[in-house]
Amino acid sequence: QVQLAESGGGLVQAGDSLRLSCAASGLTFSSYAMAWFRQVPGKERECVAVILRNTDTFYADSEKGRFTISGDNAKNTVYLQMNSLKPEDTGVYYCAARLTLYGTAFHSAAREYAYWGQGTQVTVSS
């Protein structure tokens, strides 16, 4: 049974950094795409970053150069390092997993991910 648990959210000021963690169980990163999504009230979840089988990475345009996704096999944890935070980065951040044994395509639609954590709130004040 796949389980995901996010942590690390909080209230920060614009320009600050924050690192989110996603502790995973019941899966191995070499067989999954792991992703971070952000959701704000009234909007759909949007993909922020993806790491494919713990190797290749993908970032949404607004996050390129500021966010870094990485995975630690020994700890079975995926991280999202967020630098130079902006007020528009505010939202609930969710970790998601998708079984992806083959292929190089990045999947950025929420409907393509079967497993989700409970989310962690990030608030960036101006």
Side-chain angles (χ1 to χ4, degrees):
Q1 181 181 1
V2 174
Q3 292 186 321
L4 306 173
E6 303 95 334
S7 61
L11 172 63
V12 296
Q13 293 186 333
D16 286 351
S17 297
L18 204 59
R19 188 178 77 161
L20 305 182
S21 300
C22 172
S25 61
L27 61 78
T28 54
F29 291 154
S30 60
S31 299
Y32 279 77
M34 303 297 297
W36 285 95
F37 285 78
R38 175 176 60 230
Q39 188 169 29
V40 298
K43 292 190 176 181
E44 294 185 354
R45 293 182 186 183
E46 60 175 350
C47 184
V48 171
V50 181
I51 184 166
L52 180 60
R53 294 189 291 274
N54 213 24
T55 53
D56 297 328
T57 57
F58 161 86
Y59 298 94
D61 287 342
S62 58
E63 279 73 38
K64 285 180 182 177
R66 298 190 302 124
F67 291 9
T68 302
I69 187 171
S70 62
D72 185 328
N73 285 322
K75 296 182 178 180
N76 231 34
T77 299
V78 175
Y79 301 99
L80 184 68
Q81 177 68 44
M82 304 185 293
N83 299 328
S84 303
L85 283 163
K86 305 175 182 179
E88 50 264 44
D89 295 321
T90 294
V92 178
Y93 282 72
Y94 294 92
C95 178
R98 182 184 189 276
L99 181 64
T100 310
L101 295 174
Y102 306 105
T104 59
F106 288 101
H107 300 275
S108 58
R111 64 180 183 276
E112 297 177 291
Y113 288 79
Y115 306 102
W116 293 86
Q118 81 288 351
T120 185
Q121 175 72 44
V122 173
T123 303
V124 184
S125 63
S126 58

